[in-house]
Amino acid sequence: MLKGMLNVFGWFAIISAACNIAIRVAGSDEFLRTYAGASRNLNPGFALLAVGLIFLALAAIITRLDTLLAQREE
């Protein structure tokens, strides 16, 4: 359950961050104001990207721990 939630939120955060960064870098000023706020500051996008990567890393760690515990029980 926790692994699934971490994977879903992690991928959602990465996709959202990538779209946000792409809009801020390549979008026109009008498009930027409409969809990503008034500034071209990339810090929120990279912070969201880091959070998504941390969620995916935690999901991978939990998966490996579950595998090790399953091998130990055999």
Side-chain angles (χ1 to χ4, degrees), residues 6-11 14 50-61:
L6 285 172
N7 275 322
V8 168
F9 287 134
W11 281 112
I14 288 174
V51 168
L53 290 174
I54 289 170
F55 281 1
L56 290 178
L58 288 173
I61 290 169

Side-chain angles (χ1 to χ4, degrees), residues 8-64:
V8 168
F9 287 134
W11 281 112
F12 179 73
I14 288 174
I15 292 168
S16 296
C19 292
N20 191 343
I21 290 169
I23 288 171
R24 289 179 190 266
V25 169
S28 66
D29 289 335
E30 182 181 339
F31 193 76
L32 179 70
R33 276 192 301 272
T34 304
Y35 294 106
S39 73
R40 292 196 180 267
N41 185 6
L42 295 175
N43 289 339
F46 285 119
L48 186 60
L49 183 66
V51 168
L53 290 174
I54 289 170
F55 281 1
L56 290 178
L58 288 173
I61 290 169
I62 291 172
T63 301
R64 289 192 182 190

